[in-house]
Every structure is written in structure tokens, then in C-alpha cells.
Amino acid sequence: LDKSHTQSTAQKILWLLKHRPGHLYQTARGLILFHWSRCSRNVVALNGVTLAENVRLQKNSSLMAESPSAKITVGENSIIYEDARIEAYGGGAISIGADSIIGDAHIVCRYSVQIGKRFLSSWNVFIQDYDSHPTEQSLRQRQVEGMIDSFQPRFVNTLRRIKLAPEEWSFPGEDIIIGDDVWLGAGVTVLKGAQIGAGSIVATGAVVLKGNYPANSLIAGNPAKVVKSLTSPAS
Ligand SMILES: CC(C)(COP(=O)(O)OP(=O)(O)OC[C@H]1O[C@@H](n2cnc3c(N)ncnc32)[C@H](O)[C@@H]1OP(=O)(O)O)[C@@H](O)C(=O)NCCC(=O)NCCS
């Protein structure tokens, strides 16, 4: 019987501490980063995540840079809204320019995701610079078995399974570059190797694949194409 709604906050925290310590750690880390960056007039750096001056990190957002090499940097005055998830793994590096607004985007990186200044991402935006799973069925089968095994108790005999070695498959991907003043509409997906020029707008629902999309373009559709050129603002 789920009694979670009748539990006090202290009981909930104790339950989380016992059953979900990782979750509690991520939440506490997000809260510390949020309040630290609000109070601080300096750069805030914690476990591979660097927030420039006056970055606002709203509730339920998380920034996770895998130790020891992954990095995330967010430029000054940027706002990371509720429910955004920004994750860098391995040697991945995510950089977000100053004065950017990130909605509930999910950004996942193993190579490089470089985003310019005054970036605007709407809701449900997905950016990933690598493929998580092999397209070849037998390799995928072994990867999935390895993932399942890693959650099994130690006494389960997993010797029958041949684990997928990094030299057989290791997350193919390519850098993503998004220029200054780009707006990604709701539900946009940006995949490995996409280079979106400065001043461009990606229309809602577009799936942007590998390619070079020139500055000041309106990009739309699946697969996304440049549908018209936008005039650049007067300088
Ligand atoms: C891109 C957008 C701003 C429209 O810009 P616009 O300059 O007025 O463009 P138009 O409506 O004139 O459309 C230009 C062309 O792009 C196409 N287009 C526009 N949006 C499209 C979409 N989401 N998917 C596919 N094609 C689209 C139009 O059909 C049109 O094609 P055509 O020239 O062959 O007729 C709007 O479509 C959009 O996606 N807004 C984002 C909404 C959103 O995400 N809101 C959340 C708040 S951040």
C-alpha cells in the first residue's frame, strides 16, 4: 500500500536516503547549485559543472557531468527552466552561451554540444550528439544483456553472456554546433553532426539531422530542411 502521501517530509527524506540515495544526492546538488548561483557574484563550479555569474537554475533541473572528464559550462545570466536535464558523459563537453533560456530540454553529450549566446529552447527539446545503442541487432542484444546484468545481484551467473567491449562499439557521434541567437521551437530534436547557423529558427516538431544549416534560416520538417531564409537584424 502506498502511504507516501501520509508521510512527513522527514520520513520522505529518510525513505529516500535508504532507498534512493542517488536521487537525493542529485536533488540536493541541484538545490545547492541553484542557491549558490543566485547568491554568488562569482563563477560557481562543482564536479565538472561551471555556472557563470547570475545563472538561474529552476527546480527539478539537473546538470550532470560524469567524472572525471565530462564538462558543462553555462554562460552568465542564463536561465535553466524547470525540468531541464543536461548530461555530459565520458569526455563530453556542453557549453551554453550567455543570456540563454533553456526550457525543459534534454541535452545529452559524449562529444561536444556547443551552443551560442541568447539561445532560446522551448519545451520538450531533445539534443543528443551520439547514438546510445548499436543499430546492428547482435551488438544491441549484447549491450542490452550487459545493461540488464549490471543491475543483477552478484550471485546471478552471467558468465554465459559475452559483454560488448568498447572496441566493438563505443557510441558513434559527432559534435553539434548551434550559433548565437538560435530559437528551437517546441518538440524539436537535434541529432549528431547538426550545425545550425546563427540567427536561425527551428520550427516546432522538426528533426534536425547531420548537416550544415546556414545562418538566418527557417528550418522545419522531418528530416528538417531550410524552408526559407530569414532577414538578419540590423547591426
Ligand atoms: C517557425 C514559426 C515561428 C513560423 O514562422 P514564420 O516565419 O511565420 O513561417 P511561416 O508560417 O510563414 O512558414 C514558412 C514555411 O515553413 C513551414 N513551416 C512552418 N512551421 C512549420 C513546422 N512546424 N513544420 C513544418 N513546416 C513548417 C510553412 O508550412 C511554410 O512553408 P511554405 O513556405 O512551403 O508554405 C512557427 O511555425 C513555429 O514553429 N513556431 C514555434 C512555436 C513554438 O515552439 N512555441 C513554443 C514557445 S517557445
Side-chain angles (χ1 to χ4, degrees):
L1 186 67
D2 180 15
K3 293 184 182 164
S4 56
H5 59 289
T6 59
Q7 287 178 335
S8 68
T9 306
Q11 283 173 315
K12 282 180 186 164
I13 291 172
L14 280 175
W15 187 92
L16 281 168
L17 201 57
K18 189 173 173 194
H19 299 283
R20 302 278 189 279
H23 180 90
L24 200 64
Y25 168 74
Q26 290 294 349
T27 308
R29 191 162 154 269
L31 275 171
I32 290 166
L33 272 171
F34 172 50
H35 289 292
W36 191 359
S37 65
R38 267 179 18 142
C39 299
S40 172
R41 301 306 298 167
N42 298 307
V43 167
V44 170
L46 191 65
N47 296 352
V49 176
T50 306
L51 306 183
E53 192 177 302
N54 202 30
V55 168
R56 285 177 55 193
L57 186 62
Q58 306 279 81
K59 77 176 167 95
N60 290 338
S61 286
S62 64
L63 298 116
M64 197 286 295
E66 190 177 52
S67 293
S69 307
K71 300 261 175 291
I72 299 174
T73 57
V74 183
E76 59 196 30
N77 307 319
S78 292
I79 304 171
I80 313 287
Y81 268 104
E82 283 88 356
D83 302 316
R85 286 165 61 199
I86 301 178
E87 300 165 16
Y89 295 96
I94 300 174
S95 79
I96 296 167
D99 302 306
S100 294
I101 300 179
I102 312 273
D104 67 345
H106 190 186
I107 304 176
V108 203
C109 166
R110 281 184 177 273
Y111 292 80
S112 167
V113 175
Q114 195 186 317
I115 297 172
K117 295 176 187 165
R118 296 171 298 276
F119 174 61
L120 188 55
S121 94
S122 179
W123 308 292
N124 195 26
V125 162
F126 178 59
I127 301 174
Q128 186 178 30
D129 68 357
Y130 66 94
D131 295 327
S132 315
H133 308 289
T135 49
E136 214 254 283
Q137 185 266 330
S138 65
L139 291 180
R140 197 166 62 251
Q141 176 186 334
R142 283 167 50 208
Q143 186 203 42
V144 170
E145 287 174 348
M147 289 165 79
I148 298 292
D149 284 355
S150 70
F151 284 91
Q152 299 292 328
R154 290 288 154 94
F155 53 81
V156 171
N157 179 9
T158 56
L159 292 177
R160 284 175 297 119
R161 308 205 196 193
I162 305 159
K163 293 229 165 82
L164 192 56
E167 56 275 16
E168 291 178 280
W169 190 82
S170 60
F171 304 103
E174 214 175 305
D175 298 355
I176 290 175
I177 302 174
I178 297 176
D180 291 343
D181 303 294
V182 167
W183 171 26
L184 304 186
V188 162
T189 296
V190 178
L191 296 180
K192 62 182 191 296
Q195 297 188 12
I196 301 174
S200 295
I201 298 172
V202 184
T204 181
V207 178
V208 187
L209 303 177
K210 177 181 170 142
N212 202 332
Y213 302 81
N216 301 307
S217 300
L218 176 57
I219 301 159
N222 179 6
K225 304 263 183 266
V226 174
V227 291
K228 73 174 179 186
S229 179
L230 303 163
T231 46
S232 56
S235 53

